[in-house]
Amino acid sequence: MSLLALQRDMRAWLVAADADAASRYGSAAAAGLLVYQNTYRAQLVACLEESFVQTRAWVGGEAFHHAVVAHIERVPPTSWTLDAYPRDFPATLAVLYPDDPEVAELAWIEYALGEAFVGPDSATLDVGALAYIDWDTAKLQFTPTLRLRALTTNAPAIWSALFAEEAPPAVQVLPKPGAILVWRRDQVSLFRAIDCTERDALLRATAGVAFPDLCAELVEVHGEHTGITRAGTMLGQWLADGLIVGVTILQR
Amino acid sequence: MPKPMALPITPFAGFGLGLRKPHYVEFLERRVAVDFVEVISENFMVDGGKPRQILRDVRASYPVALHGVSMSVGSADGLDGAYLARLRALVDEIEPLFVSDHLSWTRIEGFSSHDLLPLPYTDEALALVCANIGRAQDALGRTMLIENPSTYIAFEGADMTEWQFLDAMCARSGCGLLLDVNNVFVSATNHGFDPIAYLNGVPHERVRQIHLAGHSRGQDMLIDTHDQPVPTYGTCTRMSCRCSGRSRR
């Protein structure tokens, strides 16, 4: 048998416990194949347990283990790094818990915090430089660790309580759908729940829309006073959060 | 255009330690009595953040060996170019003492097992492994060390023993050896070969680093778990040290 065929058989054994594939390794290999399959699954289980500590605490150990087993069967690992394996687990939880959206939202928060922790480095904008910025022609540059996701529940409050080893609040569905942003400032991963206005503004700004154009869009939707006030408040919050790492001055 | 030669390995002798998370604070706060540290390359092949900064800080005080687990030099469908590019970036920044990985495969056609899977010691596998090591050494600009694995399957129809495979691999690819004494002992016990014959058979002049670790006893065989105290291994360790007379972990 060719090396490629052997390796395809091993994959079939590890992923699907394919007995035909295993038999082609010969009967003497049976005990060894079990060792490899056990190691394969144990690595993935450990990876998900370490990556989703609060989600596990929320759903309970047994339910979490069932979800992990389902995920390992549904999504074989593809990346050279185990750090990538947790990426699709929130989607599996969304399938397994269709009536409990906070479960997948909790898991996404944990995954995104982990991803931000090892994301690209960037220096927060020096506040001293702000005085010289012409905001009428400014385009904001955000930290490359910034991630956004839709939010329908109070999952951030649940996560925070679990992380602090306090009694978590009961699940609440948000009166209006919102969003959550996750990023890293210096060496610390952070998150903040936001409303849809800020989510839309962040999506536009990170897509390259200049700040004055963003202000004009907010004025169009909310009126001059509220629009300008909201733009100023969001900009101040983004700067305070360390989300902005640079400002490009556009030539107009 | 002629191809540049991979950088040879700088001579080095000393005692090192596998640097893991529980050690970070101690290594960053005071001088630890080791000559070098070894880290798992993949743990630091990240874009940025604290892990990479810790490695930079440790590197400022200690030589660092980069030891990989995911290069997959035995993959029948070749190496992952994106993986090599990330490893090269880490190598350029850290300027490691050694760059090593295992005689095994972990990946095939987009599937990554995250385990060091065994190879049959055949002429086909030898040609493929040597081609992959050659590509890696070209991409990294460095001579690599390849570690002998612990294995739990012996293939029927092998063309050579593991030590003959290692000897031929070093001769053809120009790589060095990372000799893991625990792995020799585990595989010898599991497959019933003589570990002394193994140590006599590997090319001693190619051994540049030695690993010592512990193992567990499974139901049918020894398992390389790295979670037990290091046995003395007696003759194996003495022979291994004689093999290299160089660095050991």
Side-chain angles (χ1 to χ4, degrees), chain A residues 1-4 6-8 10-11 14-15 25-29 31-33 35-36 39-40 43-44 76-83 85 116-121 184 186-187, chain B residues 42 45-51 53 56 70 74-76 80 83 86 105 107-120 124-125 128 150-153 155-156 220-221 223:
Chain A
M1 192 179 351
S2 73
L3 192 58
L4 181 61
L6 266 177
Q7 294 183 350
R8 284 174 172 161
M10 180 63 91
R11 176 182 58 189
L14 295 178
V15 172
Y25 271 76
S27 57
L33 285 172
V35 172
Y36 287 114
T39 304
Y40 167 73
Q43 284 243 57
L44 299 181
T78 57
S79 171
W80 55 266
T81 172
L82 262 178
D83 286 351
Y85 193 60
F117 186 69
V118 293
D121 295 325
R184 190 183 80 234
D186 299 326
Q187 305 289 19
Chain B
E42 288 80 2
M45 288 163 61
V46 292
D47 289 327
K50 201 169 181 179
Q53 187 55 49
R56 283 187 205 110
S70 296
S75 277
D80 178 341
Y83 174 92
R86 274 196 178 259
W105 67 280
R107 183 187 48 72
I108 190 71
E109 295 175 336
F111 165 72
S112 241
S113 69
H114 299 290
D115 192 15
L116 302 169
L117 299 170
L119 287 165
E124 182 201 6
L128 177 107
S150 279
T151 59
Y152 313 107
I153 289 175
F155 292 89
E156 294 166 5
D220 300 301
M221 51 186 72
I223 313 290

Coordinates of all heavy atoms in Angstrom, one line a residue, chain A residues 1-4 6-8 10-11 14-15 25-29 31-33 35-36 39-40 43-44 76-83 85 116-121 184 186-187, chain B residues 42 45-51 53 56 70 74-76 80 83 86 105 107-120 124-125 128 150-153 155-156 220-221 223:
Chain A
M1 N 0.9 -1.2 0.0 CA 0.0 0.0 0.0 C 0.9 1.2 0.0 O 1.9 1.3 0.7 CB -0.9 0.0 1.2 CG -2.0 1.0 1.2 SD -3.1 1.1 2.6 CE -2.9 -0.2 3.6
S2 N 0.5 2.3 -0.8 CA 1.3 3.5 -0.8 C 1.2 4.3 0.5 O 0.2 4.0 1.3 CB 0.8 4.4 -1.9 OG -0.5 5.0 -1.6
L3 N 2.1 5.2 0.7 CA 2.1 6.0 1.9 C 0.9 6.8 2.0 O 0.3 7.0 3.1 CB 3.4 6.9 1.9 CG 3.7 7.6 3.2 CD1 3.9 6.6 4.4 CD2 5.0 8.4 3.1
L4 N 0.5 7.4 0.9 CA -0.7 8.2 0.8 C -2.0 7.4 1.2 O -2.8 7.9 2.1 CB -0.9 8.8 -0.6 CG -2.1 9.7 -0.7 CD1 -2.1 10.9 0.2 CD2 -2.3 10.2 -2.2
L6 N -2.0 4.7 3.1 CA -1.9 4.4 4.6 C -2.3 5.6 5.4 O -3.0 5.4 6.4 CB -0.4 4.2 4.9 CG 0.1 2.7 4.9 CD1 1.6 2.7 5.2 CD2 -0.6 1.9 5.9
Q7 N -1.9 6.8 5.0 CA -2.3 8.0 5.7 C -3.8 8.3 5.6 O -4.4 8.8 6.6 CB -1.4 9.2 5.3 CG 0.1 8.8 5.7 CD 1.1 10.0 5.4 OE1 0.8 11.0 4.7 NE2 2.3 9.8 5.9
R8 N -4.3 8.0 4.5 CA -5.8 8.2 4.3 C -6.5 7.2 5.3 O -7.6 7.6 5.9 CB -6.2 8.0 2.9 CG -5.9 9.2 2.0 CD -6.2 8.9 0.6 NE -6.0 10.1 -0.3 CZ -5.9 10.1 -1.6 NH1 -5.9 8.9 -2.2 NH2 -5.8 11.2 -2.3
M10 N -5.4 6.0 8.1 CA -5.2 6.5 9.5 C -6.2 7.6 9.8 O -6.9 7.6 10.8 CB -3.8 6.9 9.7 CG -3.6 7.4 11.1 SD -3.8 6.2 12.4 CE -2.1 5.5 12.6
R11 N -6.4 8.5 8.8 CA -7.3 9.6 9.0 C -8.7 9.0 9.2 O -9.5 9.5 10.1 CB -7.3 10.5 7.8 CG -8.4 11.6 7.8 CD -8.3 12.5 6.6 NE -8.6 11.7 5.4 CZ -8.4 12.2 4.1 NH1 -8.0 13.4 3.9 NH2 -8.7 11.4 3.1
L14 N -9.0 7.6 12.7 CA -9.1 8.6 13.7 C -10.4 9.4 13.7 O -11.0 9.6 14.8 CB -7.9 9.6 13.6 CG -6.5 9.0 13.7 CD1 -5.5 10.1 13.5 CD2 -6.3 8.4 15.1
V15 N -10.8 9.8 12.6 CA -12.0 10.6 12.5 C -13.3 9.8 12.6 O -14.2 10.3 13.3 CB -12.0 11.4 11.1 CG1 -13.3 12.1 10.9 CG2 -10.8 12.3 11.0
Y25 N -4.2 -2.0 8.3 CA -3.0 -1.9 9.1 C -2.5 -3.2 9.6 O -1.4 -3.4 10.1 CB -3.1 -0.9 10.2 CG -2.8 0.5 9.8 CD1 -3.7 1.3 9.0 CD2 -1.6 1.1 10.1 CE1 -3.4 2.6 8.7 CE2 -1.3 2.4 9.8 CZ -2.2 3.2 9.0 OH -1.9 4.4 8.7
G26 N -3.4 -4.2 9.5 CA -3.0 -5.6 10.0 C -3.5 -5.8 11.4 O -3.6 -4.8 12.2
S27 N -3.8 -7.1 11.8 CA -4.3 -7.3 13.1 C -3.4 -7.0 14.2 O -3.8 -6.6 15.3 CB -4.7 -8.8 13.2 OG -3.6 -9.6 12.9
A28 N -2.1 -7.1 14.0 CA -1.1 -6.7 15.0 C -1.1 -5.3 15.4 O -0.6 -4.9 16.5 CB 0.3 -7.1 14.6
A29 N -1.7 -4.5 14.6 CA -1.7 -3.0 14.9 C -2.9 -2.6 15.7 O -3.0 -1.4 16.1 CB -1.8 -2.2 13.5
A31 N -4.0 -2.8 18.9 CA -3.7 -2.1 20.2 C -3.1 -0.7 19.9 O -3.5 0.2 20.6 CB -2.8 -3.0 21.0
G32 N -2.2 -0.7 19.0 CA -1.5 0.6 18.7 C -2.5 1.6 18.1 O -2.5 2.8 18.5
L33 N -3.4 1.1 17.3 CA -4.4 2.1 16.7 C -5.3 2.7 17.7 O -5.7 3.8 17.7 CB -5.2 1.3 15.6 CG -4.5 1.0 14.3 CD1 -5.4 0.1 13.4 CD2 -4.2 2.3 13.5
V35 N -4.4 3.3 20.8 CA -3.6 4.4 21.4 C -3.7 5.7 20.6 O -3.9 6.8 21.2 CB -2.1 3.9 21.6 CG1 -1.3 5.1 22.1 CG2 -2.0 2.7 22.5
Y36 N -3.5 5.6 19.3 CA -3.5 6.8 18.5 C -4.9 7.4 18.5 O -5.0 8.6 18.6 CB -3.1 6.5 17.0 CG -1.6 6.2 16.9 CD1 -1.1 4.9 16.6 CD2 -0.7 7.2 17.2 CE1 0.3 4.7 16.5 CE2 0.7 7.0 17.1 CZ 1.1 5.7 16.8 OH 2.5 5.5 16.7
T39 N -5.4 9.2 21.9 CA -4.6 10.4 21.9 C -5.2 11.5 21.1 O -5.3 12.7 21.5 CB -3.2 10.2 21.5 OG1 -2.6 9.1 22.2 CG2 -2.3 11.4 21.6
Y40 N -5.7 11.2 19.9 CA -6.3 12.2 19.0 C -7.5 12.8 19.7 O -7.6 14.0 19.8 CB -6.7 11.4 17.7 CG -7.7 12.2 16.8 CD1 -7.2 13.3 16.1 CD2 -9.0 11.8 16.7 CE1 -8.1 14.0 15.2 CE2 -9.9 12.5 15.9 CZ -9.4 13.6 15.1 OH -10.3 14.3 14.3
Q43 N -6.7 14.9 22.9 CA -6.1 16.2 22.6 C -7.2 17.2 22.3 O -7.2 18.4 22.8 CB -5.2 16.1 21.4 CG -3.9 15.5 21.7 CD -2.8 16.5 21.4 OE1 -2.8 17.6 22.0 NE2 -1.9 16.2 20.5
L44 N -8.2 16.8 21.5 CA -9.2 17.7 21.1 C -10.2 18.0 22.3 O -10.6 19.2 22.4 CB -10.0 17.1 19.9 CG -9.2 16.9 18.6 CD1 -10.1 16.3 17.5 CD2 -8.5 18.1 18.2
P76 N -13.6 17.8 12.0 CA -12.2 17.3 12.2 C -11.3 18.6 12.2 O -11.6 19.5 11.4 CB -12.0 16.4 11.1 CG -13.3 16.0 10.6 CD -14.2 17.2 10.8
P77 N -10.2 18.5 12.9 CA -9.3 19.7 12.8 C -8.6 19.8 11.5 O -8.2 18.8 10.9 CB -8.3 19.4 14.0 CG -8.4 17.9 14.2 CD -9.8 17.5 13.8
T78 N -8.4 21.0 11.1 CA -7.7 21.2 9.8 C -6.5 22.1 9.9 O -5.6 22.0 9.0 CB -8.7 22.0 8.8 OG1 -9.1 23.2 9.4 CG2 -9.9 21.1 8.5
S79 N -6.3 22.8 10.9 CA -5.2 23.8 11.0 C -4.0 23.1 11.6 O -4.1 22.1 12.4 CB -5.6 25.0 11.8 OG -4.4 25.8 12.1
W80 N -2.8 23.6 11.3 CA -1.6 23.1 12.0 C -1.5 23.4 13.5 O -0.8 22.8 14.2 CB -0.3 23.6 11.3 CG -0.2 25.1 11.2 CD1 -0.7 25.9 10.2 CD2 0.2 26.0 12.3 NE1 -0.5 27.3 10.5 CE2 0.1 27.3 11.8 CE3 0.8 25.8 13.5 CZ2 0.4 28.5 12.5 CZ3 1.1 27.0 14.3 CH2 0.9 28.2 13.8
T81 N -2.3 24.4 13.9 CA -2.3 24.8 15.3 C -3.6 24.4 16.0 O -4.7 24.7 15.4 CB -2.0 26.3 15.4 OG1 -2.2 26.7 16.8 CG2 -3.0 27.2 14.6
L82 N -3.5 23.9 17.2 CA -4.7 23.6 17.9 C -5.5 24.8 18.4 O -6.7 24.8 18.7 CB -4.3 22.8 19.2 CG -4.4 21.3 19.2 CD1 -3.9 20.7 20.5 CD2 -5.9 20.8 18.9
D83 N -4.8 26.0 18.4 CA -5.4 27.2 18.7 C -6.6 27.5 17.8 O -7.5 28.2 18.2 CB -4.5 28.4 18.6 CG -3.5 28.4 19.7 OD1 -3.6 27.6 20.7 OD2 -2.5 29.2 19.7
Y85 N -8.7 25.2 16.6 CA -9.8 24.2 16.7 C -11.0 24.8 17.4 O -12.2 24.4 17.0 CB -9.3 22.9 17.4 CG -10.3 21.8 17.2 CD1 -10.7 21.4 15.9 CD2 -10.9 21.3 18.3 CE1 -11.6 20.4 15.8 CE2 -11.9 20.3 18.1 CZ -12.2 19.8 16.9 OH -13.2 18.9 16.7
A116 N -8.0 37.1 20.5 CA -7.4 38.5 20.7 C -6.1 38.4 21.5 O -5.2 39.2 21.2 CB -8.4 39.4 21.4
F117 N -6.0 37.5 22.4 CA -4.9 37.4 23.3 C -3.6 37.1 22.5 O -2.5 37.6 22.9 CB -5.1 36.2 24.2 CG -4.0 36.1 25.3 CD1 -3.9 37.0 26.3 CD2 -3.2 35.0 25.3 CE1 -2.9 36.9 27.3 CE2 -2.2 34.8 26.2 CZ -2.0 35.8 27.2
V118 N -3.7 36.5 21.3 CA -2.5 36.2 20.5 C -2.6 36.9 19.2 O -1.9 36.5 18.2 CB -2.2 34.7 20.3 CG1 -1.9 34.0 21.7 CG2 -3.5 34.0 19.7
G119 N -3.4 37.9 19.1 CA -3.6 38.6 17.8 C -2.4 39.6 17.6 O -1.5 39.7 18.4
P120 N -2.4 40.2 16.4 CA -1.3 41.1 16.1 C -1.1 42.2 17.1 O -2.1 42.8 17.6 CB -1.7 41.7 14.7 CG -2.7 40.7 14.2 CD -3.4 40.2 15.4
D121 N 0.2 42.6 17.3 CA 0.5 43.7 18.2 C 0.1 45.0 17.5 O 0.3 45.2 16.3 CB 1.9 43.7 18.6 CG 2.3 42.5 19.4 OD1 1.4 42.0 20.2 OD2 3.4 41.9 19.3
R184 N -7.9 43.4 22.2 CA -6.9 43.4 23.2 C -6.2 44.7 23.3 O -5.9 45.4 22.3 CB -5.8 42.4 22.8 CG -4.8 42.1 23.9 CD -3.7 41.2 23.5 NE -2.6 41.8 22.8 CZ -2.2 41.4 21.6 NH1 -2.7 40.3 21.0 NH2 -1.2 42.1 21.0
D186 N -2.9 46.4 25.1 CA -1.7 46.0 25.7 C -1.7 44.4 25.7 O -1.8 43.8 24.6 CB -1.4 46.6 27.1 CG -1.4 48.1 27.0 OD1 -0.9 48.6 26.0 OD2 -1.9 48.7 27.9
Q187 N -1.7 43.8 26.8 CA -1.6 42.3 26.9 C -2.9 41.7 27.4 O -3.0 40.5 27.7 CB -0.5 41.8 27.7 CG 0.9 42.3 27.4 CD 1.4 41.8 26.1 OE1 0.7 41.3 25.3 NE2 2.7 41.9 25.9
Chain B
E42 N 5.2 25.8 17.9 CA 3.8 26.2 17.6 C 3.1 27.1 18.6 O 2.3 27.9 18.3 CB 2.9 25.0 17.3 CG 3.3 24.2 16.0 CD 4.5 23.3 16.2 OE1 5.1 23.3 17.3 OE2 4.9 22.7 15.2
M45 N 4.1 30.5 17.4 CA 4.0 30.9 16.0 C 2.6 31.7 15.9 O 1.8 31.4 15.1 CB 4.0 29.7 15.1 CG 5.4 29.1 15.0 SD 5.5 27.4 14.4 CE 4.7 27.6 12.8
V46 N 2.5 32.7 16.7 CA 1.2 33.5 16.8 C 1.6 34.9 16.3 O 2.7 35.3 16.1 CB 0.7 33.5 18.2 CG1 0.2 32.2 18.7 CG2 1.7 34.0 19.2
D47 N 0.5 35.7 16.0 CA 0.8 37.0 15.5 C 1.4 37.9 16.5 O 2.3 38.7 16.1 CB -0.6 37.6 15.0 CG -1.1 36.9 13.8 OD1 -0.3 36.5 13.0 OD2 -2.4 36.8 13.7
G48 N 1.0 37.8 17.8 CA 1.6 38.7 18.8 C 1.0 38.4 20.1 O 0.6 37.3 20.4
G49 N 1.0 39.4 21.0 CA 0.5 39.2 22.3 C 1.5 38.7 23.3 O 2.7 38.7 23.1
K50 N 1.0 38.3 24.5 CA 1.9 38.0 25.6 C 2.8 36.8 25.4 O 4.0 36.8 25.7 CB 1.0 37.7 26.8 CG 1.7 37.8 28.2 CD 0.7 37.8 29.3 CE 1.4 37.9 30.6 NZ 0.4 37.9 31.7
P51 N 2.3 35.7 24.7 CA 3.3 34.6 24.5 C 4.5 34.9 23.8 O 5.6 34.6 24.1 CB 2.4 33.5 23.7 CG 1.0 33.9 24.0 CD 1.0 35.4 24.2
Q53 N 5.8 37.9 23.5 CA 6.7 38.8 24.3 C 7.4 38.0 25.4 O 8.6 38.3 25.6 CB 5.8 39.9 25.0 CG 6.6 40.9 25.7 CD 7.6 41.6 24.8 OE1 7.2 42.1 23.7 NE2 8.8 41.7 25.2
R56 N 10.4 36.5 23.7 CA 11.4 37.5 23.5 C 12.2 37.8 24.7 O 13.4 37.9 24.7 CB 10.8 38.8 23.0 CG 10.3 38.8 21.6 CD 9.9 40.2 21.1 NE 8.9 40.1 20.1 CZ 7.6 40.4 20.1 NH1 7.1 40.8 21.2 NH2 6.9 40.2 19.1
S70 N 4.3 20.0 14.5 CA 3.3 20.1 13.4 C 3.9 20.2 12.0 O 3.2 20.5 11.1 CB 2.3 21.2 13.6 OG 1.6 20.9 14.8
G74 N 6.6 13.7 7.4 CA 6.2 12.5 6.8 C 4.9 12.5 6.0 O 4.4 11.5 5.5
S75 N 4.4 13.7 5.8 CA 3.1 13.8 5.0 C 3.3 13.5 3.6 O 4.2 14.1 2.9 CB 2.6 15.3 5.1 OG 1.9 15.5 6.3
A76 N 2.5 12.6 3.1 CA 2.6 12.1 1.7 C 2.3 13.2 0.7 O 2.7 13.2 -0.5 CB 1.7 10.9 1.5
D80 N 3.2 22.2 4.5 CA 2.3 23.3 4.5 C 3.2 24.6 4.4 O 3.9 24.9 5.3 CB 1.5 23.3 5.8 CG 0.5 24.4 5.9 OD1 0.7 25.4 5.2 OD2 -0.4 24.4 6.7
Y83 N 2.7 27.2 7.1 CA 3.3 26.8 8.3 C 4.8 27.2 8.3 O 5.4 27.7 9.2 CB 3.1 25.3 8.5 CG 3.9 24.8 9.7 CD1 3.3 24.7 11.0 CD2 5.2 24.3 9.6 CE1 4.1 24.2 12.1 CE2 6.0 23.9 10.7 CZ 5.4 23.8 11.9 OH 6.1 23.3 13.0
R86 N 5.4 30.9 8.7 CA 5.3 31.3 10.1 C 6.5 30.9 10.9 O 7.0 31.7 11.8 CB 4.0 30.8 10.7 CG 2.8 31.6 10.4 CD 1.7 31.3 11.4 NE 0.6 32.1 11.1 CZ 0.2 33.2 11.9 NH1 1.0 33.5 12.9 NH2 -0.8 33.9 11.6
W105 N 4.2 12.0 10.9 CA 3.3 12.8 10.1 C 2.2 13.2 11.0 O 1.8 12.4 11.9 CB 2.9 12.2 8.8 CG 2.0 11.0 9.0 CD1 2.4 9.7 9.3 CD2 0.6 10.9 8.9 NE1 1.3 8.9 9.4 CE2 0.2 9.6 9.1 CE3 -0.4 11.9 8.6 CZ2 -1.1 9.2 9.1 CZ3 -1.7 11.5 8.5 CH2 -2.1 10.1 8.8
R107 N -0.4 15.5 9.3 CA -1.4 16.1 8.5 C -1.5 15.4 7.1 O -0.4 15.0 6.6 CB -1.0 17.6 8.2 CG -1.9 18.5 7.4 CD -1.3 19.8 7.1 NE 0.1 19.7 6.6 CZ 0.4 19.2 5.4 NH1 -0.5 18.9 4.6 NH2 1.7 19.1 5.1
I108 N -2.7 15.3 6.6 CA -2.9 14.8 5.3 C -4.1 15.4 4.6 O -5.2 15.4 5.2 CB -3.0 13.2 5.3 CG1 -2.9 12.6 3.9 CG2 -4.2 12.7 6.0 CD1 -1.5 12.8 3.2
E109 N -3.9 15.9 3.5 CA -5.1 16.5 2.7 C -6.0 17.3 3.5 O -7.2 17.2 3.5 CB -5.8 15.3 2.0 CG -4.9 14.6 1.0 CD -5.6 13.3 0.4 OE1 -6.5 12.8 1.0 OE2 -5.2 12.9 -0.7
G110 N -5.4 18.3 4.2 CA -6.2 19.2 5.0 C -6.7 18.8 6.3 O -7.3 19.6 7.1
F111 N -6.4 17.5 6.7 CA -6.8 17.0 8.0 C -5.5 17.1 8.9 O -4.4 16.7 8.5 CB -7.2 15.6 7.9 CG -7.3 14.9 9.3 CD1 -8.2 15.2 10.2 CD2 -6.4 13.9 9.5 CE1 -8.3 14.5 11.4 CE2 -6.4 13.2 10.8 CZ -7.3 13.5 11.7
S112 N -5.7 17.6 10.1 CA -4.5 17.7 11.0 C -4.8 16.9 12.3 O -5.8 17.2 13.0 CB -4.3 19.2 11.4 OG -3.1 19.6 11.1
S113 N -4.1 15.9 12.6 CA -4.4 15.0 13.7 C -3.9 15.6 15.0 O -4.4 15.1 16.1 CB -3.7 13.7 13.5 OG -2.3 13.8 13.6
H114 N -2.9 16.5 15.0 CA -2.3 17.0 16.2 C -1.7 15.8 17.1 O -1.7 15.9 18.3 CB -3.3 17.8 17.0 CG -3.7 19.0 16.3 ND1 -2.9 20.1 16.0 CD2 -4.9 19.3 15.7 CE1 -3.6 21.0 15.3 NE2 -4.8 20.5 15.1
D115 N -1.3 14.8 16.4 CA -0.6 13.7 17.0 C 0.6 13.3 16.1 O 0.5 13.5 14.9 CB -1.5 12.5 17.3 CG -0.9 11.5 18.2 OD1 0.1 11.8 18.9 OD2 -1.5 10.4 18.3
L116 N 1.6 12.7 16.7 CA 2.8 12.3 15.9 C 2.5 10.9 15.5 O 2.7 9.9 16.2 CB 4.0 12.4 16.8 CG 4.3 13.8 17.4 CD1 5.4 13.8 18.5 CD2 4.7 14.8 16.3
L117 N 2.1 10.8 14.2 CA 1.7 9.5 13.7 C 2.9 8.8 13.0 O 3.8 9.4 12.5 CB 0.5 9.7 12.7 CG -0.7 10.3 13.4 CD1 -1.7 10.7 12.3 CD2 -1.3 9.4 14.4
P118 N 2.8 7.4 13.0 CA 4.0 6.7 12.6 C 4.2 6.5 11.1 O 3.2 6.6 10.4 CB 3.8 5.3 13.3 CG 2.3 5.2 13.2 CD 1.7 6.6 13.5
L119 N 5.4 6.3 10.7 CA 5.7 6.1 9.3 C 6.2 4.6 9.1 O 6.9 4.1 10.0 CB 6.8 7.0 8.8 CG 6.4 8.5 8.6 CD1 7.7 9.4 8.5 CD2 5.6 8.6 7.4
P120 N 5.9 4.0 8.0 CA 6.6 2.7 7.7 C 8.0 3.1 7.2 O 8.2 4.1 6.5 CB 5.7 2.2 6.5 CG 5.1 3.4 5.8 CD 5.0 4.4 6.9
E124 N 10.1 4.3 -0.1 CA 9.2 5.3 -0.5 C 9.1 6.4 0.6 O 9.2 7.6 0.3 CB 7.7 4.8 -0.7 CG 6.8 5.9 -1.2 CD 5.3 5.5 -1.0 OE1 5.0 4.5 -0.3 OE2 4.4 6.3 -1.4
A125 N 8.9 6.0 1.9 CA 8.9 7.0 2.9 C 10.2 7.7 3.1 O 10.2 8.9 3.4 CB 8.5 6.3 4.3
L128 N 10.4 10.4 0.5 CA 9.5 11.5 0.8 C 10.0 12.4 1.9 O 10.0 13.6 1.9 CB 8.1 10.9 1.1 CG 7.1 12.0 1.4 CD1 6.1 12.2 0.3 CD2 6.4 11.7 2.7
S150 N 8.3 8.0 19.5 CA 7.7 6.9 20.2 C 6.6 6.3 19.2 O 5.8 7.1 18.7 CB 7.0 7.2 21.5 OG 8.0 7.4 22.5
T151 N 6.6 5.0 19.0 CA 5.6 4.5 18.1 C 4.8 3.3 18.8 O 5.4 2.6 19.6 CB 6.2 4.0 16.8 OG1 7.1 3.0 17.0 CG2 6.8 5.2 16.0
Y152 N 3.6 3.1 18.3 CA 2.8 2.1 18.8 C 2.3 1.1 17.8 O 1.5 0.2 18.1 CB 1.6 2.7 19.5 CG 2.0 3.9 20.4 CD1 1.8 5.2 20.0 CD2 2.8 3.6 21.6 CE1 2.3 6.2 20.8 CE2 3.2 4.7 22.3 CZ 3.0 6.0 22.0 OH 3.5 7.0 22.7
I153 N 2.8 1.3 16.6 CA 2.5 0.3 15.5 C 3.8 0.0 14.8 O 4.6 0.9 14.5 CB 1.6 1.0 14.4 CG1 0.2 1.2 15.0 CG2 1.5 0.2 13.1 CD1 -0.7 1.9 14.1
F155 N 5.1 -1.6 11.2 CA 4.5 -1.9 9.9 C 5.1 -3.2 9.3 O 6.3 -3.4 9.4 CB 4.7 -0.8 8.9 CG 4.0 0.5 9.3 CD1 4.5 1.4 10.1 CD2 2.7 0.7 8.8 CE1 3.8 2.6 10.5 CE2 2.0 1.8 9.1 CZ 2.5 2.8 9.9
E156 N 4.3 -4.0 8.8 CA 4.8 -5.2 8.1 C 5.4 -4.7 6.7 O 4.9 -3.7 6.2 CB 3.6 -6.2 7.8 CG 3.0 -6.8 9.0 CD 1.7 -7.5 8.8 OE1 1.3 -7.5 7.6 OE2 1.0 -7.9 9.7
D220 N -1.4 -2.3 27.0 CA -0.6 -3.2 26.2 C 0.8 -2.8 25.9 O 1.6 -3.5 25.4 CB -1.4 -3.5 24.9 CG -2.8 -4.0 25.1 OD1 -2.9 -5.1 25.7 OD2 -3.7 -3.4 24.7
M221 N 1.0 -1.5 26.2 CA 2.4 -1.0 25.8 C 2.7 0.2 26.6 O 1.9 0.8 27.3 CB 2.4 -0.7 24.3 CG 1.2 0.1 23.8 SD 1.2 0.3 22.0 CE 0.7 -1.3 21.5
I223 N 3.5 4.2 26.9 CA 3.0 5.4 26.2 C 3.9 6.6 26.5 O 4.2 6.8 27.7 CB 1.5 5.7 26.6 CG1 0.7 4.4 26.6 CG2 1.0 6.8 25.7 CD1 0.4 3.9 25.2

